């Protein structure tokens, strides 16, 4: 498991009131990397027509076809859900006369721990007629252990920075206030290009070896002789 320390950000307080020791406030960062074990995909189906029923029927047909193909690739009902359905009547900005049409949008949300099957899942969506596949996200489903390790690294980082400054004038440090700030890891995404979504050829996807979990801690230390 790879471990890295984040960027330095140090703020030195020179305020020294009566009977108060000077303090130093630092931000510590810690990052832990681990192999992803879960994928998520959000695919959008958008249809439009002058007739609302036709737009709805076409959208439903595409959704059903895509789900049927996904299940052929081994996905279960628990891995697939639809959400964010909408029906709007608005101008068609792709048409010069801004003709009013009915727009239907629906999303297929997929989660799976079978990362090796990612390419087949994308190909099934494409073959089913889904016209907007955004990002494929890879992440660690249970991050608790990783977060705990990241916090330990973040505190060690903060203490090291404070001690570095305190040593200049031979101060000893002790913690005064600690504030935890966990940064939710940004999923590693794979954006499909237009060319990749054309045809029924398998869509290539490279699963990342690692994803990062990062935590930061704001720590104020007393500095005493």
């Amino acid at each position: 498991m790879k471990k890295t320390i984040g960027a330095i950000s140090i703020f030195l307080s020179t305020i020294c009131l009566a009977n108060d020791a000077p303090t130093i406030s630092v931000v510590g960062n810690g990052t832990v990397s681990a192999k992803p074990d879960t994928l998520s995909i959000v695919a959008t189906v958008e249809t439009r027509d002058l007739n609302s029923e036709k737009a709805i029927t076409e959208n439903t047909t595409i959704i059903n076809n895509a789900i049927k193909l996904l299940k052929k690739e081994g996905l279960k009902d628990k891995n697939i859900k639809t959400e964010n359905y909408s029906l709007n009547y608005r101008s068609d900005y792709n048409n010069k006369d801004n003709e009013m049409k009915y727009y239907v949008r629906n999303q297929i949300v997929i989660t799976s721990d079978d990362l090796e099957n990612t390419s087949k899942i994308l190909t099934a969506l494409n073959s089913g007629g889904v016209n907007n596949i955004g990002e494929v996200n890879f992440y660690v489903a249970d991050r608790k252990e990783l977060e705990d390790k990241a916090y330990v690294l973040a505190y060690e980082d903060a203490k090291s920075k404070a001690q570095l400054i305190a040593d200049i004038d031979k101060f000893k440090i002790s913690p005064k206030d600690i504030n935890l700030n966990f940064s939710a890891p940004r999923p590693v995404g794979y954006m499909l290009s237009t060319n990749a979504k054309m045809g029924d050829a398998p869509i290539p996807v490279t699963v990342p070896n690692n994803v990062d979990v990062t935590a930061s801690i704001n720590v104020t230390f007393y500095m005493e002789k």
Side-chain angles (χ1 to χ4, degrees):
M1 182 176 290
K2 182 182 71 175
K3 301 180 180 179
T4 63
I5 298 297
I8 294 177
S9 177
I10 300 177
F11 305 94
L12 177 61
S13 172
T14 58
I15 299 175
C16 183
L17 302 176
N19 301 321
D20 282 345
T23 61
I24 179 173
S25 297
V26 299
V27 177
N29 299 286
T31 299
V32 179
S33 297
K35 187 177 181 62
D37 56 21
T38 308
L39 69 88
S40 67
I41 302 171
V42 179
T44 303
V45 176
E46 181 178 84
T47 54
R48 59 181 181 268
D49 199 279
L50 294 172
N51 183 285
S52 61
E53 291 186 6
K54 289 183 178 179
I56 293 171
T57 299
E58 182 183 359
N59 197 286
T60 301
T61 299
I62 294 173
I63 290 288
N64 289 340
N65 285 342
I67 291 176
K68 182 179 179 180
L69 292 174
L70 289 170
K71 289 185 175 181
K72 282 186 177 180
E73 297 301 338
L75 294 182
K76 308 298 183 183
D77 287 335
K78 67 178 182 179
N79 302 118
I80 309 167
K81 67 177 181 178
T82 58
E83 60 182 28
N84 295 327
Y85 179 89
S86 66
L87 171 63
N88 294 292
Y89 186 60
R90 57 181 173 82
S91 297
D92 184 352
Y93 301 112
N94 294 320
N95 195 308
K96 291 182 179 180
D97 58 7
N98 288 332
E99 187 176 35
M100 298 291 289
K101 289 184 178 180
Y102 289 94
Y103 284 75
V104 179
R105 286 173 60 89
N106 203 357
Q107 289 182 329
I108 302 176
V109 180
I110 299 164
T111 56
S112 174
D113 58 6
D114 187 3
L115 275 60
E116 294 183 358
N117 205 28
T118 307
S119 179
K120 292 182 179 179
I121 292 173
L122 293 176
T123 303
L125 289 169
N126 182 47
S127 299
V130 174
N131 51 15
N132 188 345
I133 303 174
E135 288 189 346
V136 181
N137 295 316
F138 302 95
Y139 57 95
V140 178
D142 185 0
R143 298 193 299 268
K144 180 62 169 61
E145 182 180 354
L146 298 177
E147 291 172 10
D148 290 345
K149 291 180 179 179
Y151 276 128
V152 171
L153 288 175
Y155 180 77
E156 292 174 350
D157 183 38
K159 186 176 180 180
S160 176
K161 294 170 185 175
Q163 191 65 65
L164 178 67
I165 300 302
D167 284 347
I168 296 174
D169 289 321
K170 301 187 184 330
F171 280 99
K172 294 180 180 179
I173 62 171
S174 59
K176 176 187 176 185
D177 295 310
I178 300 176
N179 294 303
L180 306 180
N181 295 296
F182 176 70
S183 300
R186 177 180 174 81
V188 177
Y190 180 90
M191 183 66 73
L192 295 178
S193 67
T194 302
N195 290 333
K197 291 188 288 185
M198 294 177 63
D200 293 327
I203 298 174
V205 178
T206 300
V207 179
N209 292 323
N210 291 291
V211 292
D212 292 338
V213 174
T214 300
S216 66
I217 298 181
N218 299 320
V219 187
T220 299
F221 292 91
Y222 288 114
M223 297 201 303
E224 301 173 299
K225 290 289 187 179

